[in-house]
Amino acid sequence: MVGATLRLTSCVALFAILISGCTAAKLDEAAWQDKRLSGVWPQSPERPRIKILQVIRGAQDIVDASSGVVRKVFDYVTGNREDFIDFYTPQCIAADGNGLIYITDPSIGIIHKYNLAARGVEYIFQAGSRRLVSPVGVVLDADGNLYVTDAQLAAVFKYGSDGAFLAELDGKGKLRRPAGITIKSNGDKLVADALENKVFIFGKDDIYKGELAGADFTDKFNRPTYLAVDKLDNVYVTDTMNFTVRVFDATGKYVRSQGQIGDVPGSFARPKGLALDSENNLYVMDSIFANFQIFNQQGQLLLYVGQEGSLPGEFMLPSGIFIDQNDRIYVSDTFNHRIQIYQYLKEKVQK
C-alpha cells in the first residue's frame, strides 16, 4: 500500500470531482454511536464520564461500497488494484463537529479527509507544486480554512475550505521542524517547532509575529510538540522531553506547568497530544502509557482512559487528540493504524 501511495501524482482536483458531496451534509446525532461498542469510563458503579463511539480503521469503514467511487479513482491514478489508502501512522486530527475529519499521516505524506455524513473520503498530498513529505499538525480556522505543518519541508501550508491550496506561510527562515499547530480566538496561529525548541506565532493575516515565551518563562522548551488553546485563550504546550505541559495565559505570560516524569497516574512518560473539553478539563495523550489523562484546571487528575492493546478503548503508541464543540474526543491510535472517537458525558444540571 505504501508503494502505491508514493506513486500518486498531482490529482487533488480529480479527487474533488469524482468524490462528491463531501462538505455539505451533517451527521445525524444518533449515527455517531456504533451500536456494537459500549465501553465507558470509569466502570460501574461510578458514574460514566467517557464513552466510546466509533473505531475507524480506514476508508472502508466510511465509504458507501456500492458507489465504487474510490476504487475507480485509485485504479486510474495508481494503475493497480488497491481500493483505499489506509491509515499508516495517523497523528494529528482536526474536525468540524459535523462529521468532517482531517487526519495527518506523516509516514506516507498524506492528509486523510473523511466525511462521516456524506460517507466520502478525499486525500490531500500536494501544496501547490510541492508534494507533502511529513504533514504533522493540522487545524481549522473559523472560516473552514485548513492549516498544515510539514516537519520535513519545514513549512506551514494553508488550504481553503474547498481543499484548494492557498499559500505557504512565511516563517522568516525560522522554522526547522514544525509540529503541532493551534489557533486562538483572535486568529493568531501558534506553531510548535521541535528542533528550534520554540513556539512561533503567525497573525490572523498569516504574517509572522514572533515567539510565545517571554522573559517570565525562565525554563527552556525541550522538544515542544503539540498545542491547544482553551476558551479563554490560554495556551497549552506539550514540552515532551521535559515531560510536562506548559501553560501560558492569553497575553503569553507563563502561568504553570502540569505534570512531571513518572510512572504513576498524573505523571507522564511521553506526553503528546493536548485538548480541552467544554468544561476546560485538560486531556493529555501519553504514547508510552497508551492512555489519555484528564485534569481539571487545578491540576487534579480526574480520570485516565485506555491501556496498551488493540481492542476498542485500547491504544498502541497513540499521539494526537482533538475535542470538538460537542465534546466528542478524537484520538489517533497511531500504531494500531486507526482513529477512535469518544464522547465526554457532562453532568446534567438539575432544574
Side-chain angles (χ1 to χ4, degrees), residues 17-315:
I17 292 170
L18 294 182
I19 304 179
S20 59
C22 290
T23 57
K26 180 178 180 179
L27 188 65
D28 181 74
E29 191 65 31
W32 284 95
Q33 179 68 66
D34 183 337
K35 293 181 173 57
R36 298 169 297 178
L37 302 176
S38 59
V40 297
W41 292 261
Q43 302 294 317
S44 179
E46 295 186 63
R47 180 186 178 277
R49 299 289 182 175
I50 304 289
K51 71 173 180 178
I52 191 167
L53 298 179
Q54 293 192 42
V55 176
I56 301 174
R57 298 159 297 169
Q60 69 273 15
D61 290 336
I62 302 301
V63 173
D64 184 351
S66 65
S67 72
V69 169
V70 172
R71 179 176 293 111
K72 290 177 184 177
V73 172
F74 277 89
D75 285 349
Y76 180 79
V77 301
T78 67
N80 62 37
R81 302 303 301 173
E82 301 288 2
D83 292 334
F84 309 114
I85 302 178
D86 289 328
F87 294 129
Y88 196 68
T89 54
Q91 194 153 48
C92 289
I93 298 174
D96 72 349
N98 296 323
L100 183 63
I101 311 171
Y102 293 90
I103 309 104
T104 60
D105 206 333
S107 294
I108 54 176
I110 281 178
I111 303 160
H112 304 263
K113 180 181 178 181
Y114 281 19
N115 193 305
L116 306 188
R119 299 180 71 179
V121 177
E122 298 178 56
Y123 303 92
I124 299 172
F125 44 84
Q126 293 287 136
S129 61
R130 304 172 74 185
R131 176 74 162 81
L132 295 176
V133 179
S134 183
V136 177
V138 63
V139 69
L140 287 164
D141 71 10
D143 297 320
N145 297 311
L146 182 73
Y147 291 83
V148 178
T149 66
D150 191 301
Q152 290 295 328
L153 295 179
V156 180
F157 300 117
K158 180 180 181 179
Y159 299 83
S161 58
D162 59 355
F165 174 72
L166 297 179
E168 177 181 346
L169 276 59
D170 183 2
K172 305 299 182 183
K174 297 180 180 294
L175 296 173
R176 293 179 63 199
R177 195 172 183 84
I181 182 170
T182 192
I183 300 180
K184 297 176 69 174
S185 64
N186 66 356
D188 279 358
K189 272 73 65 177
L190 291 89
V191 178
D193 194 301
L195 279 185
E196 276 295 302
N197 290 317
K198 294 177 180 179
V199 176
F200 297 115
I201 304 173
F202 296 82
K204 183 178 181 179
D205 55 6
D206 297 336
I207 295 176
Y208 176 80
K209 290 179 65 173
E211 300 174 17
L212 173 64
D216 55 296
F217 183 58
T218 55
D219 294 329
K220 292 183 178 180
F221 289 123
N222 188 0
R223 298 295 188 265
T225 49
Y226 294 79
L227 299 166
V229 173
D230 67 20
K231 56 188 176 183
L232 299 177
D233 272 341
N234 297 309
V235 179
Y236 301 76
V237 183
T238 305
D239 196 355
T240 298
M241 297 312 295
N242 279 327
F243 309 97
T244 192
V245 175
R246 308 291 191 179
V247 185
F248 300 81
D249 70 15
T251 69
K253 181 180 179 181
Y254 176 58
V255 176
R256 63 182 174 88
S257 293
Q258 172 71 57
Q260 65 287 316
I261 190 171
D263 58 4
V264 297
S267 60
F268 301 127
R270 192 58 56 85
K272 291 200 170 182
L274 297 170
L276 293 109
D277 64 29
S278 63
E279 295 181 336
N280 239 24
N281 297 312
L282 174 66
Y283 295 58
V284 183
M285 181 63 64
D286 196 298
S287 63
I288 300 299
F289 289 162
N291 67 15
F292 58 88
Q293 301 183 72
I294 307 172
F295 302 87
N296 63 19
Q297 284 296 308
Q298 290 70 49
Q300 176 187 6
L301 176 66
L302 303 177
L303 180 66
Y304 64 88
V305 175
Q307 62 184 17
E308 186 173 303
S310 58
L311 296 175
E314 298 178 341
F315 307 113

Side-chain angles (χ1 to χ4, degrees), residues 310-323:
S310 58
L311 296 175
E314 298 178 341
F315 307 113
M316 185 67 68
L317 294 177
S319 51
I321 186 169
F322 177 85
I323 301 178

